[in-house]
Amino acid sequence: MANLISRSRKFNHFFLSKKVCFLTHLNQRNSKTSSYTSAAAGGIIKPAATFSGEFPAIFRLERYQSNKTGEAQFDTIYYEEDGHHQINNENQVMDFPGGKVPITTQMKFIAESSEKRLPCYRVLDDDGYPIPGAIFEEASKELAVKMYSSMVTLQTMDTIFYEAQRQGRLSFYLTTAGEEAINIASAAALTLDDFVLPQYREVGVILWRGYPLQQVANQLFGNKFDFGKGRQMPCHHGSNELNYLTISSPIATQIPQAAGIAYSLKMDGKEACAITYFGDGSTSEGDFHAALNFAAVLDAPVVFICRNNGWAISTPINQQFRSDGIASKGQSYGIRSIRVDGNDALATYSAIRAAREMAIKEQKPILVEAMTYRVAHHSTSDDSTKYRPVEEIEHWKTAKSPISRFRKYLQINGWWSDENESELRGDIRKQVLQAIQAAEKVEKPSLTDLFTDVYDKMPSNLQEQVKFVKDAVKRSPKEYPSDVPI
């Protein structure tokens, strides 16, 4: 047995003709060996990788073996050449530890990104009409009206609480302006058995699940009826009863937690999944990438919902990544993904409902990129007009409003009127104002609550700290808020 490597700058006409090439394939009978044969060499020839064309050299690896094994059947495979010599390695693979990988003779690097961007799933046009041929989940009149009413509630509530912060009655606030459809439509596609791990712009999700407006106000004012006992920033809601995990301020920490919760649901055989929300800025955190990899490898039933609103506070998306948005990252981790118009309530509802069903039935993660625009400032600590044009904001606020589009859809179906609109907005405004007035009158949690709910029995070092704080307040009562009981 011997190996011969031959190198030539001319086409070897034994293997090539000008327009048509042929390879003679030997199917060995009574043998495990499969190779190409050359009658001229009097033995078995196995061509290796070749580089051809007008200027690269041609490489051919010839392997000479004995030809004593049984009968041989020869098949001739023809294919067009087009000026480049190619070897048909379609059935040749290398068996690596991670699986079988097909062999190619061409040195080709994967492009940075596809020439075409991933499409965005949409159902309703800007005038509220279903796009011909659109495939979507039908929403009954009752469900559609409830979704729209909840979107209006969210918008009205945001406006009033934002104004309350500007009046100095709240320390901080975040709105969902421009992203109401993602909140409500996604929430409508879930069940209460599903665990929600939000960021901080998903108050609409917990409202849909039954969280009262009064409790929203209690949390914002941090009074004694706040489930978190005033120990969290405003807008950091949570409810054990509603399977809505309390929001954490650090960016992206909830994403790997969602993968873990989903895996727990899988182990327990639950007919439920985990859902986590995050912004495009969170995808620049390592937690995002770790979470997707864990979820994919463990086949965890989790739905990752990214609100791609164009801005991570003042950082635009073109300064965050060079990839085609977020959905394109899913395939890299082996996760089924979709890009959806987040300003289209019906498309978002349909996509999340389908994603949830796949996650549970097939026990696998799903990534959803909801394309939208953050109409408001990032928070009350931000002035977005410093880094983006006012005209751009107004365009998205009016022409691209998800609330306006869905209202048009309801009106086209005869499910909504101007009278309904006026009555709803007036009623919601009244409820929010009453909630604020009631929350302001409630006293703050006890100072001792700063040290509780960590240990079943408070250790001695914390007991000493409690005594220290109480003594400090007694010594200088004017230095501490009078509405905080000791």
Side-chain angles (χ1 to χ4, degrees), residues 20-27 36 73-79 88:
V20 179
C21 298
F22 65 88
L23 296 174
T24 306
H25 182 261
L26 169 64
N27 293 322
Y36 300 114
Q73 179 179 337
F74 298 91
D75 297 322
T76 302
I77 304 171
Y78 293 91
Y79 63 95
N88 187 351

Side-chain angles (χ1 to χ4, degrees), residues 17 23 32 65 72 133 141 145 152-153 164 168 177 184-185 207 246 249 276 352 357 364 383 402 449 475:
S17 66
L23 296 174
K32 296 182 179 179
Q65 298 178 352
K141 175 183 177 180
V145 169
V152 171
T153 298
I184 302 303
L207 281 174
T246 302
S249 292
T276 183
I352 300 303
E357 183 177 353
K364 63 174 54 180
D383 180 3
D449 285 333
R475 285 195 305 270

Side-chain angles (χ1 to χ4, degrees), residues 219-241:
Q219 198 283 327
L220 295 174
F221 284 92
N223 62 35
K224 71 176 184 180
F225 294 138
D226 168 27
F227 293 158
K229 300 181 182 179
R231 294 174 293 206
Q232 270 279 20
M233 285 182 64
C235 302
H236 287 50
H237 305 280
S239 170
N240 290 338
E241 181 183 0

Side-chain angles (χ1 to χ4, degrees), residues 5-60:
I5 300 178
S6 65
R7 184 176 189 270
S8 172
R9 290 190 178 276
K10 297 180 180 179
F11 287 115
N12 188 324
H13 290 282
F14 179 79
F15 289 103
L16 302 172
S17 66
K18 190 171 183 180
K19 290 294 182 182
V20 179
C21 298
F22 65 88
L23 296 174
T24 306
H25 182 261
L26 169 64
N27 293 322
Q28 288 295 102
R29 295 178 180 175
N30 304 318
S31 171
K32 296 182 179 179
T33 305
S34 177
S35 58
Y36 300 114
T37 188
S38 168
I44 300 174
I45 300 176
K46 184 176 182 181
T50 63
F51 297 83
S52 66
E54 295 181 2
F55 39 89
I58 298 175
F59 292 88
R60 184 176 81 251

Side-chain angles (χ1 to χ4, degrees), residues 462-472:
L462 287 186
Q463 293 178 16
E464 292 174 2
Q465 291 180 35
V466 171
K467 183 177 183 304
F468 175 83
V469 171
K470 288 183 176 181
D471 291 344

Side-chain angles (χ1 to χ4, degrees), residues 121 189 338 340 346-356 358 366 368:
Y121 170 60
I338 188 172
V340 61
L346 209 51
T348 302
Y349 170 71
S350 300
I352 300 303
R353 181 160 177 167
R356 177 187 181 274
M358 286 187 289
I366 308 292
V368 179

Side-chain angles (χ1 to χ4, degrees), residues 36 50 119 122 165 200 207 222 251 300 333 341 356 366 389 412 459:
Y36 300 114
T50 63
R122 192 179 190 187
Q165 194 281 333
Y200 42 60
L207 281 174
I251 298 297
Y333 290 101
D341 182 355
R356 177 187 181 274
I366 308 292
I412 290 170

Side-chain angles (χ1 to χ4, degrees), residues 43-103:
I44 300 174
I45 300 176
K46 184 176 182 181
T50 63
F51 297 83
S52 66
E54 295 181 2
F55 39 89
I58 298 175
F59 292 88
R60 184 176 81 251
L61 174 64
E62 298 178 349
R63 183 179 180 87
Y64 292 91
Q65 298 178 352
S66 173
N67 193 15
K68 296 181 180 179
T69 55
E71 291 183 24
Q73 179 179 337
F74 298 91
D75 297 322
T76 302
I77 304 171
Y78 293 91
Y79 63 95
E80 293 296 328
E81 171 45 25
D82 290 337
H84 291 280
H85 178 43
Q86 299 177 4
I87 296 295
N88 187 351
N89 286 314
E90 200 172 290
N91 298 320
Q92 296 188 33
V93 297
M94 292 188 70
D95 196 358
F96 285 105
K100 294 182 178 180
V101 180
I103 296 172

